Amino acid sequence: MSTQSKTVVLVHGGFVDGSGWRAVYDELAADGFSVRVVQNATKSLADDAATTRQVLDDIEGDVVLVGHSYGGAVITEAGTHEKVTALVYITAFAPDKGESVNALLGTFPQDGPQPPILPPQDGYLFLDRAKFHESFAGDLSAADGKFLADSQVPWGLDALGGPISEAAWRVKPSWYLHVTEDKMIPPVAQASMAERIGATVMETPGSHAIYVSRPEVVANIIRSAAGTA
C-alpha cells in the first residue's frame, strides 16, 4: 500500500477545535493524502473516543491516527481500531491502561511554567484568556493568540478524568513530536511519555500550538509514520 493511499485522521486537544489543523491538512492534502479532522466535544473521553471511532469506521484502508495534547488520550483509547496502523502524538498526553489525563498531570514537575487553568465552572475548564497567548501559543502573533483565547472550547472534567481501557500504543507503532518550548505540557514530561511508549521521536522548538505555528514540521512526522508503518 502506498503512503498516499493511507488516510490521516487528525484529533484536536482541549480548549480548541479541529479548525486549527487547517495548515497541516493543506500540507498533507497537497501530498495526495486523504485527511479527516475529528470534531470532538471534549466533554468526556468516552464520547470523544466514540466520535473518533465513528470517523475510523467510515474510512476504507489503513489510517494514521494523530492526536495533539488531550487528543493523545483520545487516540490512545480509539487507536486500537483495526484500521489504525500508526499513532502520532503531537506534544500529547500518552496515558496507559487505567490512567487518565488527570493522573498524568499529577506527575508533571511543579517547578516550571504551569498552565493557567481557571477553577472549574459547571464541570468545565477554561484557560485564563489574558495568559492564553503566552502559555498556549507563544510563537503565534498576538492577534492569533487572542483569537484562540477568545474562541476557546470548554474542556470537560470527564474528559480529563476518563481512564484508558486499553492503550493502543502497546500494540501499534508510535511517533512523538517533542516540542521544546511548550508551556502547557513540560518538555521533560513529553520526553518521559515518549520513552515509555517506545515512540520514534522528532524534536522541534515551538509552543503548544505547534500544529498551527509549524504545520510543515507536524506534517513531516506524520509523513514519516505513514511511510514506515
Side-chain angles (χ1 to χ4, degrees):
M1 177 175 286
S2 70
T3 296
Q4 281 77 4
S5 66
K6 296 179 181 178
T7 299
V8 177
V9 174
L10 303 170
V11 181
H12 64 85
F15 304 120
V16 295
D17 66 13
S19 62
W21 287 114
R22 179 58 193 268
V24 174
Y25 176 100
D26 288 346
E27 286 264 347
L28 297 170
D31 283 348
F33 285 99
S34 175
V35 186
R36 299 284 298 276
V37 179
V38 181
Q39 290 285 13
N40 280 324
T42 63
K43 292 183 177 181
S44 77
L45 177 64
D47 286 350
D48 293 340
T51 299
T52 302
R53 290 191 189 100
Q54 282 185 321
V55 173
L56 297 173
D57 287 340
D58 193 44
I59 294 170
E60 293 185 9
D62 292 347
V63 172
V64 177
L65 187 57
V66 183
H68 169 255
S69 192
Y70 160 70
V74 179
I75 71 170
T76 298
E77 179 70 13
T80 54
H81 195 287
E82 61 183 7
K83 295 176 183 176
V84 175
T85 60
L87 304 165
V88 183
Y89 293 82
I90 307 299
T91 185
F93 294 97
D96 201 353
K97 180 178 180 178
E99 289 182 341
S100 65
V101 169
N102 257 345
L104 291 178
L105 284 172
T107 69
F108 287 2
Q110 299 300 305
D111 56 352
Q114 300 300 310
I117 300 174
L118 298 172
Q121 299 178 28
D122 299 321
Y124 293 93
L125 296 175
F126 292 87
L127 286 183
D128 185 333
R129 288 171 53 250
K131 299 177 180 178
F132 194 111
H133 181 208
E134 180 184 0
S135 61
F136 195 102
D139 56 353
L140 295 180
S141 70
D144 286 343
K146 186 175 187 302
F147 175 79
L148 287 175
D150 289 341
S151 64
Q152 64 178 295
V153 179
W155 193 11
L157 294 178
D158 287 343
L160 281 81
I164 298 297
S165 60
E166 296 291 339
W169 52 261
R170 289 197 170 274
V171 293
K172 307 289 177 78
S174 301
W175 281 254
Y176 199 105
L177 184 61
H178 181 257
V179 181
T180 60
E181 297 159 355
D182 194 327
K183 295 181 180 179
M184 294 291 294
I185 300 182
V188 65
Q190 296 175 50
S192 176
M193 290 186 288
E195 181 179 11
R196 181 172 72 160
I197 70 175
T200 299
V201 179
M202 294 176 65
E203 186 174 291
T204 184
S207 74
H208 196 60
I210 192 72
Y211 63 108
V212 181
S213 63
R214 304 196 69 190
E216 72 287 351
V217 174
V218 174
N220 278 340
I221 193 171
I222 296 169
R223 293 181 185 111
S224 177
T228 306

